[in-house]
Amino acid sequence: MADFIRAAIQGALVGATLGAPHKGGSKLRKLSFYEPIPARMAQSEALEAWLVWSQHIRSEKSAQTVSQSLLANWNYPVDESAFGLSNAARGLSSPISGSFANPLPTGSQAIGRAIYWGIAFHGDPNAATEYAYYDASIDHAGDGVWSAVALARMMASAAPGVQLTDLVRVATDCLPKESRILEALPMLMQSLSNPDGVTVVRETLASSIGVTDDLDASLTFSWILLGLLNGKGDFEPSVLTTAGCCGASGQSGLACGAISAALSGSVPEPWLKPLGANFVAGHGIGNVDPPATIAKFVDQIANDCKQFGKATAPAPPEPSPDAEAQEEEQPVAEPPAPEFPEKLAELLAQAPNESITEIENIRLSARYIDPPIVRPGKQLRMALTFTNIGTSDEEIRSQLTAPEGWKIATKLASTRLEPGQSTSFPAVVEPPKRHEASLANLRLKLNKYEVLIPIFGSQLWYTVGPFVNHDGSGYEHKFQAETKFSVDEIFNGRSDLPVQWSEQHFPGVVFDAEPLFKTGPGVVYLWSKAVFPKSGSYRLVAAAGVAMVVWLDGEKKLWYHDVHTPIPRPKNPYIMDFKAGDEPITFLFKILRNRQELPPVAIYFLAEDGLLVQPTEFLRMS
């Protein structure tokens, strides 16, 4: 095994440990070494995912089924992963699980995970891309996926003698034109000619590309590239710069450490000693035995590369007859990656609307033409595709059934598929007009198996408004809708128009409240009466871009008035803790809009362990 692969794994451990204490920082820190110096390696959810992925590919499982492996073996409901894991637990797989009802799709949680694919499939960037895509799509979309894919390709191409300009091309060639990383690239390149370039870029890049979240993947990728470029790919200056940019520094430090160590061919010994000898794992990994030592971890991941990758070190240059020229020449590898395949480009560019399951030699794709949410009496369209992934012909016998009272129309028919052959069938389902279930699986009988195809019930809320809001005055004004909750009650709304409580069916978590304001400033109220799965402590997260007031059973519990772009993580001012018993809880939300369009509102519930919780029932207003 090439030494630079082992160095890359060590570099990832160093970078994750170096960056861990600085996560969440929004300013540049000029680091010269670990700060503070650790007594052992930092625990890293990303590195633990590497162990899950190692088991996955050693079991000869496909890229399309990585979400099932992560769900079964890795439980870290941190930030956006809480939503992806929740969707996977409810039956949605990658790639749709990362985009559906996820208010944080462009977070950075997949960046450290992606480096594994670049190591395991080193020398085969297209294989690394495919696995990294389905991995990142478990809990991300947009730049949250594109950044991970780009880094997997960079890692799969990084080796001593490879030029940084080639690695940048490897990354940018796969990015869709919508990626904010492409907007950031000119500033990153210009930093090389400015002695204060790193400081300037760290202070101005986010506002330049319109990103407000320090943990956004487009920024995390930018800090990785900033470190590599200004450190010229050398391990120490590269990883110090990247980790010093803070943000998602555990992820960025890991990625930069791995890539720069592969380019350098080694990690300096002073960086390895503070990691200690033991591999440190957290509580969220299960059904996978973590190695006892760092040495065994490095051996395991390096052996994955030996088995699945094509890693080779660049050959040394031929001796030059010109001694002076020979002294100046440096080993230069061939261009590190083939042209980005059209098939993979299409995969990255398309809207993620597919959930994939594999049963023996049949791959089943449920492609949701409409989002997988049913509203009473509204149709939902999908397409079911069967692909023979085996080596012999397969007979497909299938039947789709829905819950009692549903309407269903499909043209499913028995068919025979040759190896590699696919066939698709459309299906349309419609629930009863009074359907309010939180989850209503369709059941597909596929030969001797039964497969659940998840369809989520919408959440029943009541809304009223808009009421008058002149320059934020609606925040303090007490409208009658704050005390009168009856569908028969009529209020005086904006422009003296009569308004009353009306039934709305939302998908949950992410609420598009803009249509409720009818393109103008105003105040809108949302009301719900929810039953929770069990008695206990819960946390409400309610994030809006202008103002929010929340009452729980008539008592004012949460309020803020701050015009901003919301970052709906479970932190102040968005959080409120409460207890639920056997009785339903009544929530009232007051939301403001000024003259500008309102960003999506996020409203969701977390259990004590951080897992996303869906109320089991929403009751009607009398």
Side-chain angles (χ1 to χ4, degrees):
M1 173 50 56
D3 288 341
F4 73 88
I5 291 296
R6 301 182 69 85
I9 302 165
Q10 293 173 329
L13 288 156
V14 170
T17 302
L18 173 66
H22 309 298
K23 177 184 176 181
S26 58
K27 302 292 184 182
L28 180 68
R29 294 179 63 100
K30 294 187 177 181
L31 304 175
S32 58
F33 195 56
Y34 293 109
E35 193 178 304
I37 297 177
R40 62 180 185 174
M41 65 166 279
Q43 183 269 331
S44 167
E45 294 92 342
L47 292 175
E48 290 172 45
W50 287 23
L51 298 172
V52 177
W53 299 149
S54 177
Q55 178 176 277
H56 183 90
I57 61 173
R58 290 182 181 204
S59 301
E60 299 182 346
K61 295 180 180 179
S62 69
Q64 288 82 357
T65 59
V66 292
S67 57
Q68 287 93 323
S69 288
L70 197 72
L71 177 65
N73 301 296
W74 188 91
N75 183 30
Y76 287 104
V78 179
D79 295 330
E80 63 269 20
S81 296
F83 305 97
L85 291 173
S86 174
N87 286 333
R90 297 165 79 190
L92 282 184
S93 75
S94 173
I96 194 174
S97 59
S99 60
F100 175 70
N102 184 354
L104 299 166
T106 59
S108 299
Q109 288 291 100
I111 280 178
R113 304 197 310 245
I115 294 299
Y116 171 82
W117 304 115
I119 292 175
F121 294 105
H122 194 280
D124 189 355
N126 292 338
T129 295
E130 185 176 20
Y131 275 88
Y133 169 78
Y134 285 103
D135 169 7
S137 296
I138 295 170
D139 44 5
H140 300 83
D143 271 321
V145 172
W146 303 331
S147 60
V149 165
L151 286 165
R153 289 182 71 81
M154 289 177 72
M155 185 66 248
S157 307
V162 171
Q163 301 299 295
L164 268 176
T165 51
D166 287 331
L167 283 190
V168 172
R169 175 175 58 81
V170 164
T172 55
D173 281 353
C174 74
L175 293 172
K177 62 181 183 299
E178 298 85 1
S179 173
R180 281 179 161 144
I181 296 171
L182 294 178
E183 294 181 48
L185 190 60
M187 284 190 67
L188 296 171
M189 301 303 293
Q190 291 166 12
S191 71
L192 296 173
S193 60
N194 182 353
D196 297 320
V198 170
T199 301
V200 171
V201 170
R202 183 60 182 92
E203 291 178 350
T204 62
L205 180 65
S207 59
S208 296
I209 63 175
V211 175
T212 57
D213 182 5
D214 277 318
L215 303 183
D216 190 272
S218 62
L219 294 182
T220 304
F221 183 96
S222 296
W223 309 148
I224 296 166
L225 202 54
L226 186 66
L228 291 170
L229 290 170
N230 284 271
K232 298 180 181 178
D234 291 340
F235 176 79
E236 186 168 302
S238 297
V239 76
L240 285 170
T241 297
T242 291
C245 288
C246 298
S249 48
Q251 303 286 336
S252 61
L254 186 161
C256 182
I259 294 170
S260 60
L263 293 173
S264 302
S266 64
V267 176
E269 182 61 30
W271 285 97
L272 298 174
K273 187 175 180 180
L275 299 181
N278 296 329
F279 183 84
V280 179
H283 59 82
I285 189 168
N287 306 315
V288 175
D289 293 328
T293 66
I294 288 175
K296 289 183 177 179
F297 175 81
V298 173
D299 287 344
Q300 178 176 337
I301 306 304
N303 286 334
D304 289 348
C305 178
K306 184 177 182 179
Q307 182 176 352
F308 301 100
K310 304 173 182 177
T312 56
E318 293 294 328
S320 170
D322 186 334
E324 184 176 345
Q326 181 177 359
E327 184 176 335
E328 294 177 356
E329 287 179 359
Q330 299 293 329
V332 177
E334 292 297 317
E339 183 178 349
F340 192 54
E342 183 178 347
K343 179 182 177 181
L344 292 177
E346 291 175 355
L347 196 65
L348 293 181
Q350 68 189 17
N353 63 349
E354 184 179 23
S355 183
I356 299 172
T357 305
E358 291 183 0
I359 303 97
E360 291 190 341
N361 293 324
I362 302 299
R363 178 177 296 151
L364 168 64
S365 161
R367 188 176 296 276
Y368 296 91
I369 299 171
D370 301 309
I373 282 286
V374 288
R375 293 174 173 85
K378 301 293 184 180
Q379 291 184 343
L380 185 151
R381 301 165 297 165
M382 65 177 62
L384 302 177
T385 300
F386 304 91
T387 302
N388 181 357
I389 57 176
T391 57
S392 59
D393 289 3
E394 289 285 343
E395 186 75 23
I396 306 294
R397 299 181 304 278
S398 58
Q399 180 184 5
L400 187 66
T401 59
E404 184 178 355
W406 286 50
K407 297 178 182 178
I408 184 168
T410 181
K411 295 185 178 180
L412 281 173
S414 297
T415 186
R416 191 173 189 84
L417 297 178
E418 299 176 357
Q421 188 178 9
S422 298
T423 185
S424 296
F425 301 93
V428 180
V429 295
E430 181 180 321
K433 292 185 177 180
R434 299 288 287 188
H435 172 71
E436 292 162 17
S438 59
L439 181 65
N441 292 318
L442 304 179
R443 297 180 180 271
L444 178 72
K445 293 181 179 179
L446 178 58
N447 296 344
K448 62 180 180 180
Y449 298 97
E450 184 174 81
V451 182
L452 299 181
I453 300 177
I455 304 288
F456 301 102
S458 54
Q459 295 184 358
L460 175 64
W461 291 71
Y462 288 82
T463 68
V464 65
F467 296 95
V468 175
N469 176 37
H470 291 308
D471 300 322
S473 60
Y475 179 70
E476 297 289 349
H477 186 82
K478 185 175 180 178
F479 296 95
Q480 288 186 322
E482 294 180 12
T483 56
K484 296 183 178 181
F485 311 113
S486 170
V487 292
D488 297 324
E489 194 75 41
I490 297 176
F491 307 100
N492 185 34
R494 189 180 64 199
S495 303
D496 292 325
L497 294 176
V499 294
Q500 60 190 122
W501 290 105
S502 63
E503 185 177 297
Q504 301 280 347
H505 291 269
F506 291 109
V509 181
V510 180
F511 292 69
D512 181 12
E514 175 64 18
L516 302 175
F517 290 92
K518 299 178 173 59
T519 71
V523 173
V524 164
Y525 291 90
L526 277 66
W527 181 96
S528 70
K529 195 170 188 178
V531 178
F532 286 82
K534 60 182 180 179
S535 299
S537 298
Y538 294 91
R539 169 165 287 180
L540 165 70
V541 181
V546 177
M548 176 76 80
V549 184
V550 181
W551 291 265
L552 187 151
D553 287 337
E555 184 178 353
K556 187 177 178 180
K557 291 286 191 177
L558 175 72
W559 59 92
Y560 57 87
H561 190 186
D562 179 19
V563 179
H564 64 296
T565 300
I567 304 170
R569 304 185 191 278
K571 61 181 183 180
N572 289 325
Y574 306 135
I575 55 174
M576 180 191 81
D577 294 324
F578 66 96
K579 292 187 180 297
D582 296 332
E583 296 298 317
I585 295 178
T586 300
F587 295 93
L588 178 66
F589 296 81
K590 181 179 186 178
I591 303 171
L592 267 67
R593 181 195 193 273
N594 293 335
R595 296 185 182 276
Q596 295 75 28
E597 184 174 336
L598 188 72
V601 174
I603 299 174
Y604 60 91
F605 303 95
L606 299 173
E608 286 185 284
D609 56 6
L611 290 172
L612 190 69
V613 175
Q614 302 287 339
T616 55
E617 187 179 5
F618 287 85
L619 305 181
R620 293 184 172 274
M621 183 182 285
S622 59

